Amino acid sequence: QKEVEQDPGPLSVPEGAIVSLNCTYSNSAFQYFMWYRQYSRKGPELLMYTYSSGNKEDGRFTAQVDKSSKYISLFIRDSQPSDSATYLCAMGVNNFNKFYFGSGTKLNVKP
Amino acid sequence: IAGITQAPTSQILAAGRRMTLRCTQDMRHNAMYWYRQDLGLGLRLIHYSNTAGTTGKGEVPDGYSVSRANTDDFPLTLASAVPSQTSVYFCASSDSASGSPDTQYFGPGTRLTVL
């Protein structure tokens, strides 16, 4: 079983839609939960991270962590064509050397 | 400010050849990492270095070696390339002393094809 599971998509939505991206994980020791955005032929860039459980909001983006269900989500409000990218979740315990990444969900926002 | 640079951008390599992927950062980050990204498997850690002079093995280290002679450079060497090493390789760095993952930055990647 992989440490982190993520639906690869692709997910196609119209501009302005609310997008929900999700990951599940198996290791209950994970404390750091990250979301990265990766444009085609580029390196990943960190969007948001949360420590332990709870929600975190940054503009149109909201990250949620449910440790009891081992489930994390990223919501994108008022999605824009510029949000079209692959979104990677990642998580770790408290050691940066041991981040585990999901395989990524490809998102396409249609104008 | 360049951040992290990687070279080459892409490379086609014959099996059995030796290859070194270069990575340089100018942020004075203490920690550096090498990942490979494969379709359906996401990013997997190959090797890491917490500080100059130290290195450690990640999830998929076999067939790869690294060195960290100074803070800025972290080359990855494939001693004898095999087709299964065809992948996109990303170098990353972070200020791990900060206690927060939001200092991790990735380079633009090297696309390697081993024939």
Side-chain angles (χ1 to χ4, degrees):
Chain A
Q1 183 185 5
K2 291 173 66 176
E3 296 272 2
V4 180
E5 297 281 356
Q6 184 174 11
D7 188 332
L11 180 62
S12 187
V13 301
E15 183 176 354
I18 296 174
V19 176
S20 172
L21 304 167
N22 311 293
C23 288
T24 59
Y25 62 94
S26 56
N27 189 343
S28 58
F30 287 149
Q31 296 277 18
Y32 288 93
F33 302 92
M34 284 75 68
W35 285 97
Y36 291 80
R37 178 175 60 197
Q38 185 176 22
Y39 292 113
S40 180
R41 294 186 169 265
K42 300 288 186 183
E45 56 177 334
L46 183 68
L47 266 180
M48 300 180 70
Y49 86 93
T50 54
Y51 175 74
S52 195
S53 285
N55 296 356
K56 187 171 186 178
E57 188 173 322
D58 184 1
R60 296 184 296 110
F61 299 89
T62 299
Q64 287 186 351
V65 175
D66 181 350
K67 293 189 75 177
S68 62
S69 301
K70 298 189 180 70
Y71 188 89
I72 69 170
S73 301
L74 178 71
F75 297 97
I76 306 175
R77 292 183 297 281
D78 187 24
S79 56
Q80 302 295 308
S82 59
D83 295 329
S84 297
T86 296
Y87 290 80
L88 304 163
C89 63
M91 44 200 81
V93 181
N94 54 8
N95 183 338
F96 298 145
N97 303 319
K98 300 294 184 184
F99 282 169
Y100 294 90
F101 283 79
S103 56
T105 299
K106 188 171 184 178
L107 171 67
N108 180 33
V109 181
K110 299 172 293 184
Chain B
I1 298 176
I4 300 179
T5 57
Q6 291 184 238
T9 301
S10 65
Q11 182 75 46
I12 299 174
L13 188 66
R17 298 296 296 268
R18 180 184 180 91
M19 176 74 192
T20 295
L21 308 185
R22 300 185 297 278
C23 174
T24 300
Q25 54 106 356
D26 63 3
M27 297 172 284
R28 307 302 294 173
H29 282 168
N30 54 331
M32 297 187 75
Y33 317 85
W34 274 105
Y35 292 88
R36 59 178 290 175
Q37 187 174 34
D38 303 289
L39 193 65
L41 296 176
L43 284 158
R44 293 180 293 169
L45 183 65
I46 305 171
H47 285 286
Y48 64 92
S49 169
N50 286 330
T51 188
T54 69
T55 63
K57 294 181 179 180
E59 185 182 355
V60 288
D62 294 343
Y64 306 95
S65 64
V66 292
S67 61
R68 187 88 183 277
N70 56 61
T71 297
D72 300 342
D73 302 299
F74 192 42
L76 176 74
T77 297
L78 289 67
S80 180
V82 296
S84 61
Q85 293 177 310
T86 294
S87 187
V88 182
Y89 291 86
F90 288 101
C91 180
S93 72
S94 70
D95 178 13
S96 59
S98 72
S100 165
D102 63 357
T103 64
Q104 185 176 67
Y105 295 91
F106 282 82
T110 293
R111 292 182 171 271
L112 181 67
T113 302
V114 182
L115 301 176

